[in-house]
Amino acid sequence: MTTTAPAGPPAKGSSSRAEDEQAENLAEYESADGAPPRGAVGASRPFAWMLVVTGFLGLLAAWVITLDKFKLLENPDFVPACSINPVLSCGNIMQSDQASVFGFPNPMLGLVTYGAVIAIGMGLLAGARYRRWFWLGLQAGTLFGVAFCTWLMYQSLYEIGSLCLWCMLAWAATVVMFWYTAVHNVRHGFLPVPEGVRRGVTEFHWVLPAMHLGIIGMLILTRWWDFWTG
C-alpha cells in the first residue's frame, strides 16, 4: 500500500503575491458601501488607459496648435492646415485675444496639464495608488479644464465666430477626462452623493459624457445651421 506525503505549505513567494493581490482587491472595493476608503486607492485599467489616451489627444492638440502659433508669429501670412473654410478656421482662433488669456498661448498650458494627466495614467497602469486628497486634486484640475474649455467654446462660437479642429479635440478629451474622473471619485466615495445617485452614475457612466458632448455638437450645428445645410 502506497501513501501520499501530505502537501507542504505553499511557497512563500506565491503566498505573498496572493495576499498582496487580495489586499489590493479589498482596497479597490472597500468603498462599496459609499464610504471613502481609509487608505490609498488605485484605479481600474480602463480608467488608467482613459487618462493616458485623453491626455495624449489633448497633448497632441496642444502641440500642433503651439507649433502653428509660433509659425503665425514668425509669418502673419501663414495659414494653418486646419483653416479649411470660414467656419473651420484655426487661424482666426489663434490670432484672437482669447488665445492668450494668461499672457501666453493657451496651448502651452495644455502641454503641461495634459502631460501630467498622461503621467498619472501611466502611474496607475504601473500599480500606483493615491490618497483621497490626490483624487480630489485631480477632480479640481479636470473641473478647471472643462470650465476653461467651456469658456473657450463660448468665445469660439459666439464672439470669434470660428472653430478650431484641434481645439475641439482638446475639448472632447477634457470632457471625457472630467466626467470619468468624477465617476471614479463617486464610486470610491470621494465625492459624497446619495446611494441611488452613486449606483446610477457608476452603472450608466457613459451617459453624462455622452450628453455633454452631444450638447456641444448641437450648439455647433445650430450656430452655423445655414452654413452646414447650404
Side-chain angles (χ1 to χ4, degrees):
M1 178 173 135
T2 60
T3 59
T4 303
K12 182 177 181 180
S14 60
S15 175
S16 177
R17 285 194 298 271
E19 290 174 358
D20 290 344
E21 291 177 1
Q22 183 179 13
E24 289 178 3
N25 291 335
L26 288 174
E28 181 72 17
Y29 296 102
E30 64 184 352
S31 61
D33 61 352
R38 293 181 297 276
V41 169
S44 65
R45 292 185 67 82
F47 176 78
W49 275 114
M50 182 280 301
L51 291 180
V52 172
V53 172
T54 55
F56 173 78
L57 293 176
L59 183 64
L60 175 64
W63 177 252
V64 174
I65 297 172
T66 300
L67 292 180
D68 284 349
K69 179 65 175 180
F70 287 157
K71 292 177 182 178
L72 273 172
L73 292 174
E74 294 174 355
N75 178 16
D77 295 327
F78 172 75
V79 178
C82 55
S83 291
I84 301 173
N85 54 49
V87 174
L88 299 175
S89 178
C90 296
N92 290 346
I93 301 294
M94 295 177 190
Q95 293 175 316
S96 67
D97 293 336
Q98 294 91 329
S100 301
V101 177
F102 302 105
F104 54 86
N106 295 339
M108 297 186 71
L109 181 64
L111 292 176
V112 177
T113 55
Y114 290 123
V117 170
I118 294 174
I120 293 171
M122 294 299 292
L124 291 170
L125 288 173
R129 308 171 70 80
Y130 304 109
R131 294 188 177 275
R132 180 174 183 269
W133 65 264
F134 183 92
W135 290 113
L136 292 180
L138 179 61
Q139 188 70 69
T142 58
L143 175 61
F144 169 79
V146 82
F148 188 45
C149 286
T150 300
W151 181 81
L152 290 173
M153 179 187 69
Y154 176 85
Q155 296 297 315
S156 294
L157 269 66
Y158 304 110
E159 297 294 334
I160 303 172
S162 297
L163 292 172
C164 168
L165 291 174
W166 290 109
C167 298
M168 289 191 288
L169 177 61
W171 298 349
T174 305
V175 166
V176 173
M177 189 187 302
F178 166 75
W179 283 115
Y180 274 101
T181 299
V183 170
H184 173 87
N185 285 330
V186 167
R187 174 182 289 120
H188 290 284
F190 297 142
L191 293 177
V193 296
E195 179 60 21
V197 174
R198 189 179 75 88
R199 291 184 180 276
V201 167
T202 54
E203 183 174 357
F204 300 102
H205 51 81
W206 54 271
V207 172
L208 291 174
M211 288 180 59
H212 195 154
L213 293 174
I215 290 171
I216 294 175
M218 287 300 298
L219 290 174
I220 293 174
L221 182 65
T222 56
R223 173 65 178 82
W224 290 283
W225 179 258
D226 292 338
F227 179 82
W228 305 127
T229 59

